[in-house]
Amino acid sequence: MKTYEELSEDFALKEADNRADMYHKKYKSHIESFEKNAVWKKCRPITSFDVVNLGKMLESYDMVQMMCEADNSVADLGVLPRIAHDVITVSYGTSPLALVASVQPLAAERGFVLFKRVLAGTTKGNKTAADIMADAREGIQEMPNAYASGGIITESWGTGDGSTTTFTGTASNTPLRGRTIKVTTTVGSATITGEDNGAGAIVGAGFADSCTINVATGAYSLTFTTAPDNAATITTDYQINLELSTSTIPVVQTDLQDIDVRANPYVLKAEIGMFKAFKMAKEYGLQSAEDDMAQDLVNMLNVEIFGDLVRRANTAKQGNTTFALATPSNISDADHRQGFKLKLAAAESTLVANAGRGTRSYYIGGVTFCEYCSTMPGWVGMYDGTTIAGAHLYGTLDGIPVIRIPADTNVITAAKAVIGYKGSQFDAALYYAPYMPLTTTAMLPTTNPLVRQRAVASWSAVGVGVGQFLTGFSIE
């Protein structure tokens, strides 16, 4: 049986709603906690897909635990069985991944993630069945003409050669609607126009009395009193009589295209000496010390996963918009900074020029870029300073999330940013595809009998699915 990701988007939406209800019942307290406390819900509403993605990760951990119980190795999971669902829930609710990427859990180490495109399902107008109508990866497509519309514009009914006066043929679409037909051509370098009179004739200066049009069959016969100019096109505008038409209404098909991905393992370990552990146990309680260590490992693992995603996004971005760092001598620094927003709007124009659609869904920037954002009208700060080092939701600018990257030239430099688009579940620049959920080991001994260690691991794929939905920004 196919999963909801493998089917059409409409079916996937319905299936996601059903699965979300199921996960609400199965993991009631954790789903409710996630819906209440997710940091990024201030930026966008939580969807059924978010609930399904979290439910899948919780379910994947349950599978790991069942496997360990089956071979009597559950002790290797250490403290995780007690805190695993909490850690996974908090991690998903606080990580910026859900703000910028399409989250699509994998069923196998090597799988696929899905992205949307729109196809023509009918041959009509300037489109042939299966033509791409919208696919950001293919760039800007020719706009549909006379596809959805019942109005046909500039259809060719012949080409003049300077001597032929009579032209016959059949309109491409039938039946025609009377009193909507207008025929235009050039005679002696002057434009002449004839229109149907509602009684089957085309009348107008330069048109002979014998000009006819059968609105039911589309058959026409045009005779000009003087031959149209050489190479002059005889163009016709008309409307289809949709009420009498037996033609199928043109179809637009949403198609989900897959990209092959392979999950990458991430592993970290932490070591703690006996004396330090004793101090933490004595002053804070042993259980708290183990929880803190597991939580710190999980946080740092998420920092690296997000860093990998940003590095890929920074490499794949298309185009760059620059805001001048130096303030011109004739204006104040405050006035100069107001131009910052104009440049952000210009960056969106670049994004749309690349992909044919999209908008600014998020900014991922270095500390200088984010500092400029925080001085703009429309800024709402969200960061409380307590998050562990790494990418974090810094705030929103006019409702658009701003994710700050601490100074790290290997990810993104201080004065630069990546601006990206994220629409529906299958309509985004970036993807995050977890295969194995966050898992940690028990406290294990090392070669030094006074030191113990804990490891945490995840297995996930991150990357760029639609580079056209990414563009760069820099302050120089």
Side-chain angles (χ1 to χ4, degrees):
M1 181 180 292
K2 292 186 176 182
T3 62
Y4 75 89
E5 294 95 344
E6 297 173 283
L7 301 166
S8 71
E9 188 182 33
D10 288 341
F11 183 88
L13 291 170
K14 295 177 183 177
E15 186 68 6
D17 288 338
N18 294 334
R19 289 199 177 193
D21 289 340
M22 182 268 289
Y23 285 127
H24 261 288
K25 296 173 183 176
K26 187 173 183 178
Y27 302 107
K28 185 175 186 294
S29 63
H30 290 90
I31 297 296
E32 289 179 350
S33 174
F34 161 70
E35 291 177 330
K36 179 180 178 181
N37 300 311
V39 173
W40 43 262
K41 76 173 187 177
K42 300 173 184 177
C43 303
R44 70 165 178 84
I46 292 173
T47 69
S48 294
F49 283 111
D50 294 318
V51 174
V52 171
N53 291 331
L54 174 58
K56 281 189 169 186
M57 287 186 273
L58 296 173
E59 206 167 51
S60 292
Y61 169 74
D62 290 344
M63 186 179 300
V64 172
Q65 185 173 345
M66 288 174 60
M67 291 169 56
C68 292
E69 289 172 346
D71 62 10
N72 297 316
S73 61
V74 71
D76 291 343
L77 296 176
V79 73
L80 189 64
R82 183 171 50 78
I83 66 170
H85 288 172
D86 292 339
V87 168
I88 293 170
T89 301
V90 171
S91 173
Y92 186 50
T94 57
S95 172
L97 283 166
L99 277 178
V100 305
S102 172
V103 181
Q104 301 185 37
L106 295 175
E109 175 192 357
R110 183 170 182 176
F112 55 84
V113 293
L114 298 167
F115 291 90
K116 183 173 75 173
R117 68 176 181 173
V118 180
L119 304 178
T122 308
T123 297
K124 185 175 181 291
N126 65 338
K127 296 295 180 182
T128 301
D131 278 357
I132 295 173
M133 299 185 77
D135 186 341
R137 290 168 296 174
E138 300 291 335
I140 298 175
Q141 305 298 315
E142 181 184 10
M143 288 187 176
N145 178 21
Y147 190 71
S149 173
I152 307 302
I153 302 174
T154 63
E155 180 173 292
S156 175
W157 279 10
T159 303
D161 58 10
S163 59
T164 302
T165 57
T166 299
F167 298 82
T168 59
T170 304
S172 299
N173 301 273
T174 57
L176 283 65
R177 188 163 170 246
R179 294 193 179 278
T180 69
I181 307 161
K182 182 169 70 173
V183 182
T184 304
T185 192
T186 303
V187 175
S189 299
T191 299
I192 64 170
T193 301
E195 298 184 6
D196 79 291
N197 62 1
I202 302 292
V203 297
F207 290 77
D209 293 340
S210 58
C211 293
T212 61
I213 176 68
N214 186 319
V215 293
T217 66
Y220 60 84
S221 176
L222 302 176
T223 299
F224 298 93
T225 56
T226 302
D229 295 344
N230 184 42
T233 302
I234 302 167
T235 59
T236 307
D237 298 345
Y238 61 92
Q239 290 182 11
I240 304 170
N241 192 330
L242 296 175
E243 293 178 337
L244 298 179
S245 174
T246 58
S247 300
T248 303
I249 293 175
V251 176
V252 171
Q253 298 174 332
T254 298
D255 183 40
L256 298 179
Q257 291 292 293
D258 58 273
I259 298 176
D260 289 332
V261 300
R262 182 186 292 275
N264 179 52
Y266 292 85
V267 183
L268 284 177
K269 71 176 182 178
E271 295 182 347
I272 187 169
M274 180 182 294
F275 298 115
K276 186 174 182 180
F278 175 80
K279 175 181 173 64
M280 294 179 71
K282 185 77 171 178
E283 298 182 10
Y284 305 109
L286 178 60
Q287 207 62 59
S288 175
E290 288 197 15
D291 288 1
D292 287 346
M293 180 178 289
Q295 191 71 265
D296 288 346
L297 282 171
V298 168
N299 286 338
M300 291 309 302
L301 205 66
N302 281 334
V303 166
E304 181 163 347
I305 292 172
F306 192 81
D308 280 353
L309 183 61
V310 176
R311 273 187 282 269
R312 288 170 170 79
N314 199 28
T315 300
K317 67 182 186 295
Q318 298 186 11
N320 189 76
T321 303
T322 302
F323 175 73
L325 176 63
T327 302
S329 58
N330 60 331
I331 64 173
S332 68
D333 183 57
D335 288 339
H336 173 59
R337 286 199 173 209
Q338 297 312 303
F340 181 74
K341 277 193 172 184
L342 296 177
K343 287 296 185 179
L344 291 178
E348 181 174 291
S349 297
T350 300
L351 187 153
V352 173
N354 292 337
R357 59 191 179 89
T359 186
R360 291 167 284 165
S361 300
Y362 53 82
Y363 306 118
I364 305 173
V367 292
T368 302
F369 172 85
C370 291
E371 180 264 318
Y372 269 74
C373 288
S374 69
T375 65
M376 295 292 108
W379 171 257
V380 178
M382 294 182 179
Y383 181 65
D384 62 7
T386 62
T387 305
I388 199 165
H392 52 268
L393 177 59
Y394 185 47
T396 62
L397 180 58
D398 297 327
I400 301 172
V402 178
I403 297 161
R404 185 167 62 176
I405 306 291
D408 186 342
T409 55
N410 292 320
V411 179
I412 195 166
T413 55
K416 293 184 181 295
V418 173
I419 299 174
Y421 168 71
K422 181 180 184 296
S424 65
Q425 170 72 356
F426 306 114
D427 196 28
L430 308 173
Y431 63 83
Y432 166 56
Y435 169 48
M436 186 184 80
L438 296 163
T439 307
T440 186
T441 65
M443 295 293 285
L444 302 174
T446 67
T447 53
N448 184 337
L450 298 179
V451 177
R452 293 188 299 167
Q453 67 181 13
R454 180 187 298 284
V456 65
S458 180
W459 213 343
S460 305
V462 294
V464 177
V466 185
Q468 289 85 347
F469 280 151
L470 298 168
T471 190
F473 192 94
S474 57
I475 303 171
E476 299 177 3

PDB file of all heavy atoms in Angstrom, residues 100-132:
ATOM      1  N   VAL A 100      11.602  26.169   7.663  1.00  0.00           N
ATOM      2  CA  VAL A 100      12.232  26.406   6.365  1.00  0.00           C
ATOM      3  C   VAL A 100      12.156  25.219   5.418  1.00  0.00           C
ATOM      4  O   VAL A 100      12.325  25.398   4.211  1.00  0.00           O
ATOM      5  CB  VAL A 100      13.709  26.830   6.550  1.00  0.00           C
ATOM      6  CG1 VAL A 100      13.817  28.037   7.455  1.00  0.00           C
ATOM      7  CG2 VAL A 100      14.558  25.693   7.106  1.00  0.00           C
ATOM      8  N   ALA A 101      11.936  24.014   5.946  1.00  0.00           N
ATOM      9  CA  ALA A 101      12.041  22.811   5.115  1.00  0.00           C
ATOM     10  C   ALA A 101      10.733  22.041   5.067  1.00  0.00           C
ATOM     11  O   ALA A 101       9.928  22.091   6.005  1.00  0.00           O
ATOM     12  CB  ALA A 101      13.160  21.901   5.631  1.00  0.00           C
ATOM     13  N   SER A 102      10.542  21.324   3.985  1.00  0.00           N
ATOM     14  CA  SER A 102       9.473  20.349   3.905  1.00  0.00           C
ATOM     15  C   SER A 102       9.929  19.118   4.679  1.00  0.00           C
ATOM     16  O   SER A 102      10.928  18.490   4.318  1.00  0.00           O
ATOM     17  CB  SER A 102       9.207  19.981   2.437  1.00  0.00           C
ATOM     18  OG  SER A 102       8.300  18.912   2.345  1.00  0.00           O
ATOM     19  N   VAL A 103       9.231  18.784   5.753  1.00  0.00           N
ATOM     20  CA  VAL A 103       9.614  17.656   6.612  1.00  0.00           C
ATOM     21  C   VAL A 103       8.896  16.416   6.099  1.00  0.00           C
ATOM     22  O   VAL A 103       7.669  16.346   6.120  1.00  0.00           O
ATOM     23  CB  VAL A 103       9.261  17.926   8.081  1.00  0.00           C
ATOM     24  CG1 VAL A 103       9.685  16.745   8.961  1.00  0.00           C
ATOM     25  CG2 VAL A 103       9.920  19.215   8.565  1.00  0.00           C
ATOM     26  N   GLN A 104       9.677  15.437   5.648  1.00  0.00           N
ATOM     27  CA  GLN A 104       9.114  14.221   5.069  1.00  0.00           C
ATOM     28  C   GLN A 104       9.883  13.006   5.596  1.00  0.00           C
ATOM     29  O   GLN A 104      10.899  12.615   5.030  1.00  0.00           O
ATOM     30  CB  GLN A 104       9.182  14.266   3.542  1.00  0.00           C
ATOM     31  CG  GLN A 104       8.427  15.444   2.927  1.00  0.00           C
ATOM     32  CD  GLN A 104       8.416  15.400   1.409  1.00  0.00           C
ATOM     33  OE1 GLN A 104       8.319  14.333   0.806  1.00  0.00           O
ATOM     34  NE2 GLN A 104       8.528  16.567   0.773  1.00  0.00           N
ATOM     35  N   PRO A 105       9.432  12.410   6.711  1.00  0.00           N
ATOM     36  CA  PRO A 105      10.122  11.235   7.271  1.00  0.00           C
ATOM     37  C   PRO A 105      10.257  10.115   6.245  1.00  0.00           C
ATOM     38  O   PRO A 105       9.350   9.875   5.436  1.00  0.00           O
ATOM     39  CB  PRO A 105       9.218  10.826   8.439  1.00  0.00           C
ATOM     40  CG  PRO A 105       8.519  12.089   8.831  1.00  0.00           C
ATOM     41  CD  PRO A 105       8.286  12.825   7.544  1.00  0.00           C
ATOM     42  N   LEU A 106      11.406   9.433   6.289  1.00  0.00           N
ATOM     43  CA  LEU A 106      11.701   8.346   5.352  1.00  0.00           C
ATOM     44  C   LEU A 106      11.297   7.000   5.936  1.00  0.00           C
ATOM     45  O   LEU A 106      11.432   6.765   7.143  1.00  0.00           O
ATOM     46  CB  LEU A 106      13.191   8.322   5.015  1.00  0.00           C
ATOM     47  CG  LEU A 106      13.761   9.518   4.259  1.00  0.00           C
ATOM     48  CD1 LEU A 106      15.278   9.370   4.129  1.00  0.00           C
ATOM     49  CD2 LEU A 106      13.122   9.654   2.888  1.00  0.00           C
ATOM     50  N   ALA A 107      10.841   6.103   5.068  1.00  0.00           N
ATOM     51  CA  ALA A 107      10.512   4.745   5.493  1.00  0.00           C
ATOM     52  C   ALA A 107      11.712   3.817   5.373  1.00  0.00           C
ATOM     53  O   ALA A 107      11.719   2.725   5.930  1.00  0.00           O
ATOM     54  CB  ALA A 107       9.357   4.202   4.655  1.00  0.00           C
ATOM     55  N   ALA A 108      12.739   4.229   4.636  1.00  0.00           N
ATOM     56  CA  ALA A 108      13.952   3.420   4.461  1.00  0.00           C
ATOM     57  C   ALA A 108      15.150   4.358   4.401  1.00  0.00           C
ATOM     58  O   ALA A 108      14.995   5.567   4.195  1.00  0.00           O
ATOM     59  CB  ALA A 108      13.859   2.599   3.178  1.00  0.00           C
ATOM     60  N   GLU A 109      16.349   3.790   4.581  1.00  0.00           N
ATOM     61  CA  GLU A 109      17.564   4.612   4.572  1.00  0.00           C
ATOM     62  C   GLU A 109      17.669   5.413   3.284  1.00  0.00           C
ATOM     63  O   GLU A 109      18.023   6.590   3.296  1.00  0.00           O
ATOM     64  CB  GLU A 109      18.795   3.732   4.741  1.00  0.00           C
ATOM     65  CG  GLU A 109      20.098   4.496   4.616  1.00  0.00           C
ATOM     66  CD  GLU A 109      21.311   3.596   4.493  1.00  0.00           C
ATOM     67  OE1 GLU A 109      21.148   2.362   4.565  1.00  0.00           O
ATOM     68  OE2 GLU A 109      22.424   4.122   4.299  1.00  0.00           O
ATOM     69  N   ARG A 110      17.381   4.751   2.177  1.00  0.00           N
ATOM     70  CA  ARG A 110      17.350   5.441   0.890  1.00  0.00           C
ATOM     71  C   ARG A 110      15.905   5.520   0.423  1.00  0.00           C
ATOM     72  O   ARG A 110      15.218   4.506   0.318  1.00  0.00           O
ATOM     73  CB  ARG A 110      18.196   4.704  -0.148  1.00  0.00           C
ATOM     74  CG  ARG A 110      18.250   5.433  -1.483  1.00  0.00           C
ATOM     75  CD  ARG A 110      19.274   4.837  -2.413  1.00  0.00           C
ATOM     76  NE  ARG A 110      19.326   5.594  -3.657  1.00  0.00           N
ATOM     77  CZ  ARG A 110      20.191   5.353  -4.644  1.00  0.00           C
ATOM     78  NH1 ARG A 110      21.080   4.377  -4.514  1.00  0.00           N
ATOM     79  NH2 ARG A 110      20.185   6.081  -5.738  1.00  0.00           N
ATOM     80  N   GLY A 111      15.434   6.705   0.192  1.00  0.00           N
ATOM     81  CA  GLY A 111      14.044   6.888  -0.198  1.00  0.00           C
ATOM     82  C   GLY A 111      13.911   8.093  -1.095  1.00  0.00           C
ATOM     83  O   GLY A 111      14.831   8.429  -1.845  1.00  0.00           O
ATOM     84  N   PHE A 112      12.786   8.758  -1.009  1.00  0.00           N
ATOM     85  CA  PHE A 112      12.593   9.929  -1.837  1.00  0.00           C
ATOM     86  C   PHE A 112      11.744  10.954  -1.096  1.00  0.00           C
ATOM     87  O   PHE A 112      10.966  10.629  -0.210  1.00  0.00           O
ATOM     88  CB  PHE A 112      11.950   9.577  -3.184  1.00  0.00           C
ATOM     89  CG  PHE A 112      10.647   8.830  -3.065  1.00  0.00           C
ATOM     90  CD1 PHE A 112       9.453   9.518  -2.879  1.00  0.00           C
ATOM     91  CD2 PHE A 112      10.622   7.446  -3.128  1.00  0.00           C
ATOM     92  CE1 PHE A 112       8.267   8.842  -2.765  1.00  0.00           C
ATOM     93  CE2 PHE A 112       9.429   6.760  -3.013  1.00  0.00           C
ATOM     94  CZ  PHE A 112       8.241   7.454  -2.837  1.00  0.00           C
ATOM     95  N   VAL A 113      11.960  12.209  -1.463  1.00  0.00           N
ATOM     96  CA  VAL A 113      11.109  13.293  -0.992  1.00  0.00           C
ATOM     97  C   VAL A 113      10.380  13.858  -2.202  1.00  0.00           C
ATOM     98  O   VAL A 113      10.837  13.713  -3.337  1.00  0.00           O
ATOM     99  CB  VAL A 113      11.931  14.388  -0.276  1.00  0.00           C
ATOM    100  CG1 VAL A 113      12.514  13.856   1.019  1.00  0.00           C
ATOM    101  CG2 VAL A 113      13.037  14.930  -1.166  1.00  0.00           C
ATOM    102  N   LEU A 114       9.251  14.477  -1.936  1.00  0.00           N
ATOM    103  CA  LEU A 114       8.354  14.862  -3.016  1.00  0.00           C
ATOM    104  C   LEU A 114       8.226  16.373  -3.152  1.00  0.00           C
ATOM    105  O   LEU A 114       8.233  17.098  -2.149  1.00  0.00           O
ATOM    106  CB  LEU A 114       6.964  14.270  -2.766  1.00  0.00           C
ATOM    107  CG  LEU A 114       6.923  12.740  -2.730  1.00  0.00           C
ATOM    108  CD1 LEU A 114       5.603  12.264  -2.165  1.00  0.00           C
ATOM    109  CD2 LEU A 114       7.142  12.164  -4.111  1.00  0.00           C
ATOM    110  N   PHE A 115       8.108  16.827  -4.398  1.00  0.00           N
ATOM    111  CA  PHE A 115       7.909  18.242  -4.679  1.00  0.00           C
ATOM    112  C   PHE A 115       6.835  18.374  -5.749  1.00  0.00           C
ATOM    113  O   PHE A 115       6.687  17.520  -6.618  1.00  0.00           O
ATOM    114  CB  PHE A 115       9.216  18.892  -5.135  1.00  0.00           C
ATOM    115  CG  PHE A 115      10.221  18.992  -4.029  1.00  0.00           C
ATOM    116  CD1 PHE A 115      11.125  17.972  -3.814  1.00  0.00           C
ATOM    117  CD2 PHE A 115      10.233  20.088  -3.180  1.00  0.00           C
ATOM    118  CE1 PHE A 115      12.030  18.040  -2.772  1.00  0.00           C
ATOM    119  CE2 PHE A 115      11.134  20.163  -2.140  1.00  0.00           C
ATOM    120  CZ  PHE A 115      12.040  19.150  -1.933  1.00  0.00           C
ATOM    121  N   LYS A 116       6.110  19.470  -5.656  1.00  0.00           N
ATOM    122  CA  LYS A 116       4.921  19.645  -6.490  1.00  0.00           C
ATOM    123  C   LYS A 116       5.232  20.331  -7.811  1.00  0.00           C
ATOM    124  O   LYS A 116       6.057  21.229  -7.876  1.00  0.00           O
ATOM    125  CB  LYS A 116       3.893  20.479  -5.715  1.00  0.00           C
ATOM    126  CG  LYS A 116       2.577  20.686  -6.444  1.00  0.00           C
ATOM    127  CD  LYS A 116       1.548  21.363  -5.553  1.00  0.00           C
ATOM    128  CE  LYS A 116       1.819  22.816  -5.361  1.00  0.00           C
ATOM    129  NZ  LYS A 116       0.738  23.506  -4.649  1.00  0.00           N
ATOM    130  N   ARG A 117       4.527  19.902  -8.843  1.00  0.00           N
ATOM    131  CA  ARG A 117       4.486  20.637 -10.097  1.00  0.00           C
ATOM    132  C   ARG A 117       3.061  20.549 -10.636  1.00  0.00           C
ATOM    133  O   ARG A 117       2.269  19.702 -10.210  1.00  0.00           O
ATOM    134  CB  ARG A 117       5.491  20.104 -11.107  1.00  0.00           C
ATOM    135  CG  ARG A 117       5.198  18.717 -11.632  1.00  0.00           C
ATOM    136  CD  ARG A 117       6.199  18.318 -12.698  1.00  0.00           C
ATOM    137  NE  ARG A 117       5.911  16.991 -13.233  1.00  0.00           N
ATOM    138  CZ  ARG A 117       6.546  16.445 -14.264  1.00  0.00           C
ATOM    139  NH1 ARG A 117       7.513  17.123 -14.856  1.00  0.00           N
ATOM    140  NH2 ARG A 117       6.228  15.243 -14.692  1.00  0.00           N
ATOM    141  N   VAL A 118       2.709  21.422 -11.558  1.00  0.00           N
ATOM    142  CA  VAL A 118       1.362  21.472 -12.115  1.00  0.00           C
ATOM    143  C   VAL A 118       1.448  21.206 -13.611  1.00  0.00           C
ATOM    144  O   VAL A 118       2.264  21.818 -14.310  1.00  0.00           O
ATOM    145  CB  VAL A 118       0.704  22.841 -11.846  1.00  0.00           C
ATOM    146  CG1 VAL A 118      -0.695  22.882 -12.443  1.00  0.00           C
ATOM    147  CG2 VAL A 118       0.652  23.116 -10.347  1.00  0.00           C
ATOM    148  N   LEU A 119       0.620  20.281 -14.086  1.00  0.00           N
ATOM    149  CA  LEU A 119       0.621  19.885 -15.497  1.00  0.00           C
ATOM    150  C   LEU A 119      -0.725  20.186 -16.131  1.00  0.00           C
ATOM    151  O   LEU A 119      -1.762  20.222 -15.470  1.00  0.00           O
ATOM    152  CB  LEU A 119       0.901  18.378 -15.627  1.00  0.00           C
ATOM    153  CG  LEU A 119       2.178  17.830 -14.994  1.00  0.00           C
ATOM    154  CD1 LEU A 119       2.226  16.321 -15.190  1.00  0.00           C
ATOM    155  CD2 LEU A 119       3.401  18.486 -15.585  1.00  0.00           C
ATOM    156  N   ALA A 120      -0.695  20.378 -17.445  1.00  0.00           N
ATOM    157  CA  ALA A 120      -1.931  20.478 -18.218  1.00  0.00           C
ATOM    158  C   ALA A 120      -2.456  19.068 -18.455  1.00  0.00           C
ATOM    159  O   ALA A 120      -1.722  18.178 -18.878  1.00  0.00           O
ATOM    160  CB  ALA A 120      -1.676  21.181 -19.541  1.00  0.00           C
ATOM    161  N   GLY A 121      -3.728  18.875 -18.162  1.00  0.00           N
ATOM    162  CA  GLY A 121      -4.323  17.558 -18.387  1.00  0.00           C
ATOM    163  C   GLY A 121      -5.103  17.478 -19.687  1.00  0.00           C
ATOM    164  O   GLY A 121      -5.632  16.424 -20.031  1.00  0.00           O
ATOM    165  N   THR A 122      -5.166  18.591 -20.413  1.00  0.00           N
ATOM    166  CA  THR A 122      -5.968  18.684 -21.634  1.00  0.00           C
ATOM    167  C   THR A 122      -5.185  19.448 -22.697  1.00  0.00           C
ATOM    168  O   THR A 122      -4.372  20.320 -22.360  1.00  0.00           O
ATOM    169  CB  THR A 122      -7.286  19.439 -21.346  1.00  0.00           C
ATOM    170  OG1 THR A 122      -7.935  18.833 -20.223  1.00  0.00           O
ATOM    171  CG2 THR A 122      -8.213  19.429 -22.551  1.00  0.00           C
ATOM    172  N   THR A 123      -5.394  19.122 -23.939  1.00  0.00           N
ATOM    173  CA  THR A 123      -4.822  19.914 -25.033  1.00  0.00           C
ATOM    174  C   THR A 123      -5.810  21.005 -25.394  1.00  0.00           C
ATOM    175  O   THR A 123      -6.928  20.728 -25.854  1.00  0.00           O
ATOM    176  CB  THR A 123      -4.534  19.033 -26.253  1.00  0.00           C
ATOM    177  OG1 THR A 123      -3.546  18.052 -25.902  1.00  0.00           O
ATOM    178  CG2 THR A 123      -4.012  19.867 -27.411  1.00  0.00           C
ATOM    179  N   LYS A 124      -5.410  22.246 -25.160  1.00  0.00           N
ATOM    180  CA  LYS A 124      -6.289  23.382 -25.442  1.00  0.00           C
ATOM    181  C   LYS A 124      -5.456  24.647 -25.436  1.00  0.00           C
ATOM    182  O   LYS A 124      -4.490  24.765 -24.675  1.00  0.00           O
ATOM    183  CB  LYS A 124      -7.405  23.478 -24.397  1.00  0.00           C
ATOM    184  CG  LYS A 124      -8.451  24.566 -24.679  1.00  0.00           C
ATOM    185  CD  LYS A 124      -9.589  24.493 -23.659  1.00  0.00           C
ATOM    186  CE  LYS A 124     -10.649  25.550 -23.946  1.00  0.00           C
ATOM    187  NZ  LYS A 124     -10.167  26.919 -23.701  1.00  0.00           N
ATOM    188  N   GLY A 125      -5.840  25.606 -26.270  1.00  0.00           N
ATOM    189  CA  GLY A 125      -5.092  26.860 -26.319  1.00  0.00           C
ATOM    190  C   GLY A 125      -3.642  26.598 -26.693  1.00  0.00           C
ATOM    191  O   GLY A 125      -3.343  25.863 -27.638  1.00  0.00           O
ATOM    192  N   ASN A 126      -2.736  27.207 -25.927  1.00  0.00           N
ATOM    193  CA  ASN A 126      -1.313  27.017 -26.215  1.00  0.00           C
ATOM    194  C   ASN A 126      -0.703  25.888 -25.409  1.00  0.00           C
ATOM    195  O   ASN A 126       0.519  25.770 -25.335  1.00  0.00           O
ATOM    196  CB  ASN A 126      -0.542  28.321 -25.939  1.00  0.00           C
ATOM    197  CG  ASN A 126      -0.569  28.706 -24.458  1.00  0.00           C
ATOM    198  OD1 ASN A 126      -1.449  28.276 -23.716  1.00  0.00           O
ATOM    199  ND2 ASN A 126       0.388  29.518 -24.044  1.00  0.00           N
ATOM    200  N   LYS A 127      -1.528  25.041 -24.787  1.00  0.00           N
ATOM    201  CA  LYS A 127      -1.029  23.937 -23.985  1.00  0.00           C
ATOM    202  C   LYS A 127      -1.458  22.599 -24.557  1.00  0.00           C
ATOM    203  O   LYS A 127      -2.587  22.434 -25.031  1.00  0.00           O
ATOM    204  CB  LYS A 127      -1.531  24.048 -22.535  1.00  0.00           C
ATOM    205  CG  LYS A 127      -1.035  25.277 -21.789  1.00  0.00           C
ATOM    206  CD  LYS A 127       0.479  25.239 -21.610  1.00  0.00           C
ATOM    207  CE  LYS A 127       0.981  26.460 -20.870  1.00  0.00           C
ATOM    208  NZ  LYS A 127       2.460  26.461 -20.735  1.00  0.00           N
ATOM    209  N   THR A 128      -0.510  21.645 -24.490  1.00  0.00           N
ATOM    210  CA  THR A 128      -0.781  20.269 -24.871  1.00  0.00           C
ATOM    211  C   THR A 128      -0.815  19.430 -23.608  1.00  0.00           C
ATOM    212  O   THR A 128      -0.099  19.716 -22.646  1.00  0.00           O
ATOM    213  CB  THR A 128       0.316  19.742 -25.813  1.00  0.00           C
ATOM    214  OG1 THR A 128       0.361  20.575 -26.976  1.00  0.00           O
ATOM    215  CG2 THR A 128       0.056  18.303 -26.229  1.00  0.00           C
ATOM    216  N   ALA A 129      -1.666  18.414 -23.580  1.00  0.00           N
ATOM    217  CA  ALA A 129      -1.755  17.551 -22.411  1.00  0.00           C
ATOM    218  C   ALA A 129      -0.367  17.089 -21.978  1.00  0.00           C
ATOM    219  O   ALA A 129       0.454  16.693 -22.802  1.00  0.00           O
ATOM    220  CB  ALA A 129      -2.642  16.351 -22.715  1.00  0.00           C
ATOM    221  N   ALA A 130      -0.110  17.164 -20.675  1.00  0.00           N
ATOM    222  CA  ALA A 130       1.158  16.802 -20.034  1.00  0.00           C
ATOM    223  C   ALA A 130       2.191  17.920 -20.080  1.00  0.00           C
ATOM    224  O   ALA A 130       3.290  17.764 -19.536  1.00  0.00           O
ATOM    225  CB  ALA A 130       1.747  15.515 -20.606  1.00  0.00           C
ATOM    226  N   ASP A 131       1.869  19.053 -20.715  1.00  0.00           N
ATOM    227  CA  ASP A 131       2.782  20.199 -20.650  1.00  0.00           C
ATOM    228  C   ASP A 131       2.914  20.675 -19.210  1.00  0.00           C
ATOM    229  O   ASP A 131       1.942  20.669 -18.446  1.00  0.00           O
ATOM    230  CB  ASP A 131       2.260  21.360 -21.497  1.00  0.00           C
ATOM    231  CG  ASP A 131       2.602  21.221 -22.971  1.00  0.00           C
ATOM    232  OD1 ASP A 131       3.289  20.240 -23.322  1.00  0.00           O
ATOM    233  OD2 ASP A 131       2.167  22.078 -23.754  1.00  0.00           O
ATOM    234  N   ILE A 132       4.117  21.117 -18.838  1.00  0.00           N
ATOM    235  CA  ILE A 132       4.332  21.691 -17.513  1.00  0.00           C
ATOM    236  C   ILE A 132       3.737  23.100 -17.481  1.00  0.00           C
ATOM    237  O   ILE A 132       4.043  23.932 -18.326  1.00  0.00           O
ATOM    238  CB  ILE A 132       5.831  21.747 -17.172  1.00  0.00           C
ATOM    239  CG1 ILE A 132       6.406  20.336 -17.073  1.00  0.00           C
ATOM    240  CG2 ILE A 132       6.065  22.497 -15.864  1.00  0.00           C
ATOM    241  CD1 ILE A 132       7.913  20.300 -16.903  1.00  0.00           C
TER     242      ILE A 132
END
